[in-house]
Structure formats: C-alpha cells, structure tokens
C-alpha cells in the first residue's frame, strides 16, 4: 500500500514534469471534491468503480449524491484539458490526441480477406462520451423488450423498465424556432425526455438546406413514418438531438460535465492515469482493486490496493471489462488455464458474444447539387473555411456549430426487403448455433446464441427492429450505411502469452453467413433509394463505389469482403446480461454470477445490441444500474 503522503509527492512531481515538454513520465493525479487538487486516497471506499467513462462517472455521481456514501472512480486515461473535447470545431475523434484512444488492432478477420482493423475506444476521463459523435438516439421498444425476454415474462429490463432511466438521464432542450425551421419534418414530444439531469440533449443552430430531399425520399416509402419523437422507440425517419446544451454554451455534454465537474463532494473521488490490473477476491467475495500508474515508461509503476466496503463496479467498457474479469480468475476455464491464471470462478460467457454494428462503404456523389454552394471537398477550400469561420465568430452558428448528423432513416427488414425478409428469417430459424461459434465453445454459450438467433429471426419479421440505418448530411450522401443487428458473434479474450497486454479482439464478421444475405438486401435497398429514386434524379447521382456494374451476388459478396467495417465504434455484449444457462455473465441486477460484491455496468452487458448508437443506452443502463445498487435489489 502506498501512503497518501507519497501520492501527494508523486502528484507534485507530475505537475513539475508536465512543465517540461520532453517529460514522458506520468504519475497518477488524485482529484477529490471536484478538481480541488491532489488529495489523499483513502484505504477503502464504500464503492470502487473501475473506469471513469460514460457509465462509470454516471454511477459514481448517483451513488455519492447523498453526500455520505464514499465512492472512488479509477480511470486509466487522463483528465484532459477539456477545450479540445468541448470545443465544437474540434470535438470528434479525428481530433483526439492519440493517447486518448487505446492502441488496439483486431485479430485478422477471416471473412474479410484477413483484414485487421482498428479497435477505436476511448482512454480519457469521460470515456466514449468524451470523444463520440454526440448523436443522441435510443433504438426501439423491441430492443429493450428482447433483453428481458431471455429471463421470461416479468423482467424489468424492458422498454417500460428502461424508459424512466432515459428520462432521468437526459435533460432535453427543445430546438429554438430558428433551429427548428432548418429541420423540415422535425417532430418531438417532451414526454419522452427529462429535465433534471445535468447531461443535456440539444440542437445545433445550423443544418444544410439540402437535407430535406434526403428526408423526403425516405418518408415516401411504403411503411415508413416519422415517429412522434426520436426517443419514442420506433423505427422510421426522424431528427434526433446532439449531446450539447443548446441554451448555453453549445459545448459537448458528457459524463464528465454531467456527473463529475462542479459536484464538489468530499465523498466522491476520482483518480486518473491509473490502470486497474486485478480485482481481488476473498473466496467468492470481491474485496479490493489493484491499480498502478498507467503511463509510466515500461509499465513499472507501483501497485496500490484499495478496498471496497460494499461493492466493486466494473465500468471499463466492452473490451476491458471482460479482460479484467479474466485477469482476476473469472472466466472460461480452458482459456484461463492456458494463460496460467488460477480459475477462481468458472464463467464461460466472459468475453464471448462480442458484436458491434457493421458498416458498408458506399460512395454516391450528386453531380448537380446547387442547393448547397459547397461540397465535401470544400472543407479544404479556404473560401469555405473563411465563410464558416465568420459565421462561427459572429453568431456561433454555421457548419462549425454542428456535430456529426441530426437526422437519418432507421428501418426494419420488412420495409427494406419486402420480398426477401421471410426467406432470410426462415434460414435463421433453421440454423444450428454451434456451427457459427468458435470450435470448443461452452454448451451454455451455444445455448445463448441459439436463443439469440430465435429472437433475431423474429426481429427480421417485425418492422419495429432497425436493420438498416443511414444518416442524412444534407450535402452529399454519407459514404456508408450501417447494418444494425448483425448475427455474427466474436470474442474478446486475454492474450494467453501476455494476459496484461491488450486483449485479442476478434470480430468474426460474417462468421454467420446469413449476414451476407442481409447486407446484400441492405445494399440493394441503399442503391434503390439513393441512386435510382426519381426524387433524387434532379441531383444527378452517381455511384462511384461499388459502381453500377456490381449486381451479381458473387460480385456483391466480393465487394462486401473488401469494404465492410466490422465496427461502428459500438462494441458490446462481452459481459452479457443473460441467464447463466444461456452463457450469461451478469444477472438482472447486473451482479456477476458466482461472485459477491461485483457488478458490471457498461456497454458490455447488452445481450443483443440495440438498433442505435450506444451512448444513450449506456447512460440509461448506468442510471438503472445505480438504482439497483442503491436499492440493494436481491
Ligand atoms: C469515436 C466514437 C464515436 C462514437 N459515436 C457515438 C455517437 O455519436 N453516439 C452514440 O450514442 N454513441 C457513440 N459512440 C459509442 C458510445 O460513445 C460508447 O458506446 C459508450 O461511450 C461506451 O460507454 P462505456 O461506459 O461502456 O465505456 P467507455 O465510455 O469507453 O468507458 C470505459 C472507461 O474505462 C476505462 N478503463 C478501461 N480499462 C481500464 C482499466 N484497466 N483501469 C482503469 N480504467 C479503465 C477507459 O479508459 C474508459 O474511460 C461512439 C464511440 C466512439 C469511440
Ligand atoms: C465551452 O467550451 C469552451 C472551449 O473549451 C470553453 O472555453 C468554455 O468555457 C466552455 N463554456 C462553458 C459554459 O463551459
Ligand atoms: C501502437 O502499437 C503499435 C504496435 O504495437 C506500435 O508500433 C505503435 O507505435 C503504437 N502507436 C501508438 C500511438 O502508441
Ligand atoms: C420538467 O418536467 C416536468 C415533468 O414533465 C414538468 O412538469 C415541468 O414543468 C418541467 N419543468 C421545466 C422547467 O420545464
Ligand atoms: C448574427 O445574428 C444577428 C441577429 O440575429 C443578425 O442580424 C446577423 O446578420 C447575424 N450575423 C451573421 C454573420 O449571420
Ligand atoms: C500476444 O502476446 C505476445 C507476447 O507479447 C505477442 O508476441 C503476440 O503478438 C500477442 N498476440 C496477439 C494476437 O496479439
Ligand atoms: C440540375 O438542377 C437544377 C436545379 O437545381 C435543375 O433545374 C436541372 O434540371 C438539373 N439538371 C439535371 C440534369 O437534372
Ligand atoms: C466495375 O467497374 C470498375 C471500374 O471500371 C472495375 O474496377 C470493377 O472491377 C468492375 N466490377 C465488376 C464486378 O465488374
């Protein structure tokens, strides 16, 4: 145990070293009472939270809000100088400092010509919510009812059981009239939103005028409507907000601003630049957490142990939560044995059931598009930049005030592929789950996959499940679309020859071949609507990739192998909330099976991904998880 006085010394040393640009040594900085400065770390806390990301800080805030319950959050990344994160113009990942992301490359993807891909996840206080595209969407009622369905009829993990936590978790700002005027077809209903959270959903003051054509072409499709609100749990075409405070600064709103900054609570501590390496178990009870400075050269920083009086809450995200369980002896026995880690609690599902939204690159250009005086290339054009800079300086409006996108289509297969969806569903019905999982998968994991396939075959037949999504930019079509419910499952397992190095992330994209069938339908639909629709003909669209000569199935499949991205930066599923006999890792109270005093609360608990970008769902899971913990639910 390192003494608080030593930690104070280290923090001072860090401050001194940080003055020198040549310094590479980082040591932990302890923040207590919201950025008061270095404070002593206690030997124990009521709750120790691993990971100060999207879920971690949300749970930390809720558990400490009585002013008495002591909470420590341990975060691997730094407490970044927030300008680069706040400032709208520099807000998205591509402006992130490299050390705000983990440096992980996936395993070669067999069905993607052995391509490896970057695994993009955040390593900074606030986690994904600090770097994401700020798109605030929710998915459909079916997504949430599906989670509970695996537990039988009466689960509180259902749309009705989660909606109150969306309402608690987000403070909605209706668009000012000038902004609403730029969003043709916008509908919203404040009853789906709350007004108490310090985390905001607001609206930029600028949208490209051409957006209305992309919106309209989708709303004219049979079976496609505009739901009463983007958060109503329906498929369709809609406008959705950005994680920002429209009435105030138009800065990013994220877990740090909503659940840490300004709280000033003596009982809520955060230590950053510190990596948890192990959860300590006493028998089957989780008692403490071991961590050390994360960025010391060579990783030789000193280990520190902190004890939890009540519980440890794992919020390290989909890639690292299963890694920490496995490192601590909780996971598949064969894997742990080959890594020479003692199996303390055998739990075959840890790290299995990994999935993400996949995307297909699809490039369309509008050759006759005079609605907007500038095209994508204009972002390099000095005249365009001057124009945008001036708008921003004068009124904080124009392109720089916008985050990624605020509208799109979110559609089910009966709409996208009315001729094909039934035969695709029938194919899934006939599948034997074991055929599409890694050989040697545990019978409970196989049973869990079979249950998912049954549920997803049903989802294919029901229109209120998103399979296709596409954002509208209003300048040119966004150069990809997203497949929201892939069937294939991957794994995130420790590297048995170096367990503490980054885990092996194996997407196994298209390992279930029905994903080729579905992607093909999505691609044909995408072309039909965006390239061949008479409504868009006036813009003279040209499909530059794949190109209209790609029509035969084998050509499409070849194209997909080269142009599918396995991730939309929405990894999920590796600590699934499922019954134990279905390969689950946590129960409905988010407690790790077989372990006392340990829960997982983050994106990894989704048994099946939702048909939406994940951050809103993670905030809702965190709010609900905090309530479950406080109520000591049995
Ligand atoms: C670039 C990008 C763009 C995205 N765009 C959108 C979007 O527009 N809209 C949307 O809804 N969603 C988006 N997402 C997805 C969404 O942001 C994530 O799904 C969500 O933030 C995940 O939350 P989490 O709490 O599970 O994990 P995270 O927020 O990633 O938090 C995990 C935290 O744990 C820390 N950690 C990990 N291991 C350790 C350890 N051993 N010790 C200590 N700390 C550790 C990490 O550093 C991290 O801060 C995007 C994600 C990314 C990365
Ligand atoms: C908004 O972000 C900018 C840039 O980081 C910062 O200077 C400003 O203080 C922020 N405003 C508020 C209200 O937080
Ligand atoms: C990422 O890892 C690779 C291979 O391990 C290494 O070569 C590269 O320098 C790393 N990049 C960063 C930014 O740390
Ligand atoms: C906040 O929401 C509640 C419940 O919907 C509503 O009664 C109240 O008027 C709202 N307050 C503000 C300031 O909007
Ligand atoms: C800024 O807003 C004011 C008031 O709405 C308006 O008069 C002015 O033209 C705007 N400036 C720019 C550059 O748009
Ligand atoms: C596993 O770790 C070993 C030892 O560091 C390394 O050589 C190997 O490349 C890693 N394997 C993978 C698949 O990353
Ligand atoms: C190009 O667009 C203009 C209006 O923006 C329209 O009048 C014209 O017919 C279009 N040309 C073609 C070839 O579609
Ligand atoms: C389609 O045309 C492009 C460009 O001419 C060519 O590169 C590609 O191989 C063609 N694809 C097929 C399937 O014919």
């Amino acid at each position: 145990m390192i003494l608080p006085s030593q930690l104070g010394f280290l923090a001072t040393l860090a401050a001194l070293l940080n003055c020198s640009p040549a310094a590479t040594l980082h040591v932990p900085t302890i923040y207590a009472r919201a950025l008061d400065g270095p404070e002593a770390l206690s030997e124990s806390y009521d709750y120790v939270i691993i990971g100060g990301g999207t879920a971690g800080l949300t749970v930390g805030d809720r558990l400490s809000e009585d002013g008495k319950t002591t909470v420590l959050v341990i975060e691997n990344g730094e407490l970044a100088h927030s300008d680069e994160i706040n400032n709208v113009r520099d807000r998205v990942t591509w402006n992130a400092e490299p050390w705000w992301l983990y440096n992980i490359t996936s395993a070669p993807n067999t069905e993607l010509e052995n391509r490896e891909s970057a695994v993009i996840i955040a390593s900074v206080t606030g986690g994904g919510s600090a770097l994401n595209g700020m798109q605030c969407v929710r998915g459909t009622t079916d997504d949430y009812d599906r989670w509970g369905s695996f537990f039988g009829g009466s689960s509180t993990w259902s749309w009705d059981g989660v909606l109150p936590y969306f309402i608690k978790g987000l403070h909605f700002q209706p668009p000012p009239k000038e902004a609403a005027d730029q969003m043709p077809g916008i509908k919203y209903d404040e009853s789906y939103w709350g007004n108490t959270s310090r985390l905001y959903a607001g609206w930029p003051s600028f949208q490209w005028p051409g957006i209305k054509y992309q919106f309209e072409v989708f709303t004219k499709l049979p079976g496609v409507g505009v739901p009463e609100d983007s958060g109503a749990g329906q498929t369709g075409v809609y406008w959705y907000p950005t994680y920002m405070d429209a009435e105030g600064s138009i800065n990013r709103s994220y877990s740090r601003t909503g659940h840490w900054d300004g709280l000033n609570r003596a009982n809520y501590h955060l230590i950053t630049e510190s990596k948890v390496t192990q959860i300590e178990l006493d028998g089957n009870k989780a008692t403490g957490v071991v961590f050390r400075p994360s960025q010391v050269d060579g990783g030789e920083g000193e280990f520190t142990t902190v004890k939890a009086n009540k519980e440890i809450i794992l919020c390290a995200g989909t890639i690292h939560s299963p890694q920490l369980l496995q490192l601590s002896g909780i996971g598949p026995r064969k894997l742990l044995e080959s890594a020479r880690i003692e199996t303390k609690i055998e739990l075959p599902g840890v790290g299995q059931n990994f999935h993400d939204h996949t995307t297909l690159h699809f490039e369309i250009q509008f050759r006759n598009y005079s609605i907007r005086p500038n095209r994508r290339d204009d972002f390099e054009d000095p005249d365009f930049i001057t124009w945008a800079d001036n708008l921003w300086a004068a009124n904080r409006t124009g392109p720089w005030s916008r985050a990624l996108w605020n509208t799109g289509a979110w559609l089910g297969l009966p709409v996208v592929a009315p001729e094909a969806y039934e035969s695709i569903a029938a194919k899934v019905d006939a599948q034997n789950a074991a055929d599409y999982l890694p050989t040697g998968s545990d019978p409970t994991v196989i049973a869990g996959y079979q249950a998912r396939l049954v549920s997803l075959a049903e989802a294919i037949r029901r229109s209120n499940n998103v399979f296709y999504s596409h954002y509208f930019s209003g300048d040119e079509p966004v150069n990809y679309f997203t497949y929201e419910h892939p069937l294939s499952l991957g794994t995130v397992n420790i590297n048995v020859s170096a367990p503490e190095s980054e885990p092996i992330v194996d997407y196994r994209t298209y390992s279930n071949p029905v994903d080729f069938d579905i992607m093909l339908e999505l691609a044909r639909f995408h072309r039909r609507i965006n390239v061949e629709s008479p409504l868009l003909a006036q813009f003279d669209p040209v499909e530059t990739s794949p190109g209209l000569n790609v029509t035969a199935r084998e050509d499409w499949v070849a194209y997909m192998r080269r142009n599918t991205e396995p991730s939309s930066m929405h990894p999920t599923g590796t600590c699934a909330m499922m019954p134990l006999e279905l390969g689950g890792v946590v129960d409905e109270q988010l407690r790790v099976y077989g372990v006392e005093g340990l829960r997982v609360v983050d994106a990894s608990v989704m048994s099946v991904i939702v048909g939406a970008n994940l951050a809103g769902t993670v905030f809702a899971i965190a709010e609900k998880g905090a309530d479950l913990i406080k109520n000591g639910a049995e």
Side-chain angles (χ1 to χ4, degrees):
M1 174 72 201
I2 124 170
L3 297 170
S5 58
Q6 287 173 279
L7 283 164
F9 163 73
L10 288 175
T12 312
L13 180 66
L16 288 173
L17 286 170
N18 281 339
C19 298
S20 150
T24 51
L25 180 69
H26 292 260
V27 291
T29 313
I30 294 183
Y31 296 100
R33 291 185 223 147
L35 309 187
D36 255 358
E39 295 269 334
L41 179 78
S42 306
E43 275 181 38
S44 72
Y45 291 81
D46 292 328
Y47 295 100
V48 177
I49 296 176
I50 303 170
T54 310
L57 290 177
T58 307
V59 175
D61 175 11
R62 295 306 183 195
L63 294 181
S64 64
E65 68 191 350
D66 64 3
K68 295 191 290 252
T69 306
T70 56
V71 176
L72 172 68
V73 179
I74 306 172
E75 165 56 42
N76 183 63
E78 68 175 334
L79 189 83
H81 190 243
S82 47
D83 278 8
E84 296 93 330
I85 289 170
N86 275 344
N87 188 301
V88 280
R89 194 173 168 181
D90 282 333
R91 72 210 166 281
V92 202
T93 351
W94 42 89
N95 292 309
E97 302 289 2
W99 59 89
W100 293 349
L101 297 172
Y102 289 90
N103 182 11
I104 307 176
T105 302
S106 77
N109 209 315
T110 319
E111 300 296 331
L112 299 179
E113 302 183 331
N114 285 320
R115 271 191 289 130
E116 298 174 349
S117 48
V119 179
I120 298 176
I121 50 164
S123 174
V124 65
T125 303
S129 71
L131 301 182
N132 69 19
M134 297 156 76
Q135 301 182 88
C136 183
V137 277
R138 225 172 253 194
T140 70
T141 54
D142 278 26
D143 285 328
Y144 298 91
D145 291 341
R146 177 174 301 112
W147 292 353
S149 74
F150 297 122
F151 291 93
S154 58
S155 176
T156 66
W157 290 96
S158 62
W159 172 255
D160 290 342
V162 175
L163 182 58
Y165 295 101
F166 278 110
I167 290 172
K168 183 174 186 187
L170 282 169
H171 189 146
F172 182 78
Q173 302 278 339
K177 194 185 169 307
E178 312 80 76
D181 286 348
Q182 297 193 30
M183 298 188 277
I186 186 172
K187 284 191 196 169
Y188 59 90
D189 174 344
E190 291 185 53
S191 69
Y192 289 100
W193 302 85
N195 58 22
T196 58
S197 177
R198 297 200 311 146
L199 192 81
Y200 293 89
W203 304 86
S205 60
F206 178 88
Q207 300 290 341
W208 295 113
I211 223 159
K212 63 171 179 286
Y213 300 92
Q214 287 173 307
F215 196 91
E216 192 181 328
V217 74
F218 278 91
T219 51
K220 294 214 159 135
L221 291 169
V224 176
V226 181
E228 56 190 336
D229 187 88
S230 63
Q234 302 301 314
T235 50
V237 178
Y238 51 79
W239 289 89
Y240 53 85
T242 293
Y243 289 105
M244 62 178 234
D245 176 357
E247 298 207 326
S249 61
I250 73 167
N251 284 352
R252 174 187 293 270
S253 190
Y254 67 115
S255 68
R256 174 180 166 181
T257 59
H259 297 293
W260 170 259
D261 286 350
L263 287 180
N264 213 37
R265 282 180 205 144
N267 59 322
Y268 184 19
H269 288 193
L270 167 66
I271 177 167
T272 61
E273 293 175 65
S274 296
K275 180 176 191 163
V276 173
T277 55
Q278 183 135 22
I279 298 159
E280 287 186 339
L281 295 176
D282 180 2
N284 71 344
K285 183 163 176 24
T287 55
V289 159
V290 182
F291 66 93
R292 65 170 167 179
S294 56
Q295 292 176 37
V296 173
D297 285 7
E300 297 299 320
E302 203 162 341
F303 289 99
T304 303
T305 301
V306 67
K307 295 282 175 193
N309 307 327
K310 291 183 171 161
E311 287 193 39
I312 293 162
I313 299 141
L314 185 48
C315 304
T318 297
I319 306 301
H320 293 109
S321 284
Q323 182 196 26
L324 272 170
L325 290 176
Q326 292 172 357
L327 280 174
S328 308
I330 304 166
R333 181 182 292 276
K334 271 183 276 180
L335 175 79
L336 300 185
E337 276 170 1
S338 46
R340 291 189 209 85
I341 292 172
E342 183 199 340
T343 304
K344 294 185 175 150
I345 310 285
E346 185 175 4
L347 201 49
V350 177
Q352 315 312 297
N353 185 45
F354 173 52
H355 54 295
D356 198 324
H357 300 132
T358 57
T359 65
L360 189 68
H361 178 79
F362 207 115
E363 187 100 26
I364 299 162
Q365 282 165 17
F366 288 156
R367 284 175 295 199
N368 180 31
Y369 203 58
S370 52
I371 283 148
R372 164 179 175 314
N374 23 65
R375 306 174 73 86
R376 188 175 298 133
D377 321 339
D378 294 340
F379 287 92
E380 269 118 61
D381 171 354
D383 289 343
F384 172 80
I385 291 170
T386 305
W387 170 72
D389 280 351
N390 287 342
L391 279 173
W392 174 245
N395 283 346
R396 296 204 120 201
T397 183
W400 301 158
S401 65
R402 213 179 62 139
L404 272 180
W405 302 297
N406 289 94
T407 176
W410 308 81
L411 305 176
L413 272 190
V415 162
V416 167
E419 310 286 315
Y421 77 89
E422 176 51 44
S423 65
I424 292 175
K427 255 190 178 177
V428 178
D429 285 338
Q431 286 191 323
N432 176 19
D435 296 346
Y436 310 109
L437 289 177
T439 43
S441 290
D442 188 85
T444 61
V445 170
I446 296 171
Y449 190 30
Q450 197 74 58
R452 288 179 177 89
L453 290 176
V454 169
S455 179
L456 286 167
E458 180 69 8
I460 288 168
R461 295 182 170 102
R462 284 166 60 85
S463 54
N464 205 34
N465 288 272
V466 181
F467 276 77
Y468 167 92
S469 76
H470 182 52
Y471 308 113
F472 310 147
S473 58
D475 41 5
E476 285 184 319
V478 171
N479 65 356
Y480 66 89
F481 66 81
T482 307
Y483 173 16
E484 296 274 343
H485 274 109
L487 309 178
S488 301
L489 295 182
T491 56
V492 177
N493 286 323
I494 47 172
N495 177 340
V496 294
S497 41
E500 291 194 8
S501 68
E502 291 297 355
I504 296 175
V505 177
D506 189 355
Y507 287 104
R508 300 182 80 254
T509 308
Y510 294 124
S511 54
N512 186 325
V514 170
D515 281 339
F516 281 118
D517 298 307
I518 296 178
M519 192 63 110
L520 176 60
E521 293 303 325
L522 305 186
R524 286 181 167 151
F525 171 79
H526 192 74
R527 174 181 288 167
R528 217 156 55 231
I529 303 311
N530 293 284
V531 187
E532 296 171 349
S533 147
L535 266 175
L536 295 178
Q538 58 180 314
F539 305 121
D540 196 10
V542 57
E543 181 187 309
T544 53
S545 179
L548 294 178
N549 60 345
V550 174
T551 55
R553 185 190 159 97
E554 62 270 27
D555 293 337
W556 272 116
V557 168
Y559 180 81
M560 286 176 206
R561 290 185 189 281
R562 285 193 302 274
N563 295 284
T564 300
E565 277 305 318
S567 169
S568 296
M569 302 170 284
H570 299 157
T572 188
T574 52
C575 298
M577 177 177 60
M578 284 283 262
L580 186 57
E581 63 276 16
L582 294 181
V585 174
V586 298
D587 67 12
E588 292 174 275
Q589 273 70 49
L590 305 179
R591 294 173 302 203
V592 176
Y593 288 113
V595 189
E596 241 180 82
L598 179 63
R599 304 199 205 216
V600 183
V601 185
D602 60 25
S604 70
V605 304
M606 298 182 209
S607 51
V608 176
I609 200 165
V610 296
N613 312 44
L614 297 191
T617 303
V618 173
F619 282 121
I621 289 172
E623 294 282 7
K624 186 170 165 83
D627 260 10
L628 292 171
I629 295 164
K630 284 203 235 182
N631 298 338
E634 284 307 313

